[in-house]
């Protein structure tokens, strides 16, 4: 079963474009070190509905299985990137919304 790990972000207003780019590069690089990741996509919310709740950026990690997702969650490289990411978001973890979907 494939897992879509959708992460929505509310960056601090002071977060620069280059800081966002650097964290997205770090997130994308996880594909090369953590087994079971088949794809990572990062970008801005382009919805015109106005229902984003302030979450204007995000990324989606596609995992080959729930086990791969679970291994990713505790992987030291993911933990490091997650800590960096929380430092850039409004309210730390409150600025991060995670939604996992089995497809």
């Amino acid at each position: 079963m494939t897992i879509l790990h959708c992460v929505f972000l509310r960056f601090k207003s002071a977060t620069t474009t280059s800081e966002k780019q650097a964290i997205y590069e770090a997130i994308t690089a996880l594909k090369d070190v953590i087994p079971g990741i088949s794809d990572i996509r990062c970008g801005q919310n382009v919805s015109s509905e106005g229902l984003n709740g302030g979450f204007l950026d995000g990324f989606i990690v596609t995992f080959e299985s729930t086990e791969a997702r679970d291994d990713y969650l505790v992987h030291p490289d993911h933990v490091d990137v997650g800590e960096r990411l929380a430092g850039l978001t409004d309210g730390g973890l409150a600025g991060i919304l995670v939604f996992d979907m089995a497809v």
Side-chain angles (χ1 to χ4, degrees), residues 13-91:
S13 60
T15 305
T16 66
T17 301
S18 62
E19 287 174 316
K20 289 180 185 182
Q21 185 61 35
I23 197 68
Y24 285 148
E25 288 172 4
I27 292 164
T28 302
L30 294 174
K31 185 177 183 224
D32 297 329
V33 294
I34 302 176
I37 297 174
S38 55
D39 192 35
I40 299 177
R41 302 290 174 117
C42 305
Q44 292 185 321
N45 182 348
V46 296
S47 174
S48 61
E49 291 182 287
L51 300 173
N52 57 50
F55 292 89
L56 302 178
D57 296 270
F59 60 94
I60 299 173
V61 181
T62 304
F63 292 100
E64 296 171 357
S65 65
T66 55
E67 294 81 12
R69 187 267 324 269
D70 293 346
D71 291 344
Y72 159 90
L73 293 175
V74 297
H75 193 283
D77 290 349
H78 167 257
V79 172
D80 289 344
V81 171
E83 289 173 359
R84 284 179 52 200
L85 182 61
L88 295 172
T89 55
D90 188 20

Side-chain angles (χ1 to χ4, degrees), residues 7-12 52-57 82-83 85-98:
V7 181
F8 307 108
L9 307 167
R10 192 171 47 225
F11 282 113
K12 293 176 184 174
N52 57 50
F55 292 89
L56 302 178
D57 296 270
E83 289 173 359
L85 182 61
L88 295 172
T89 55
D90 188 20
L93 293 179
I96 302 172
L97 174 66
V98 177

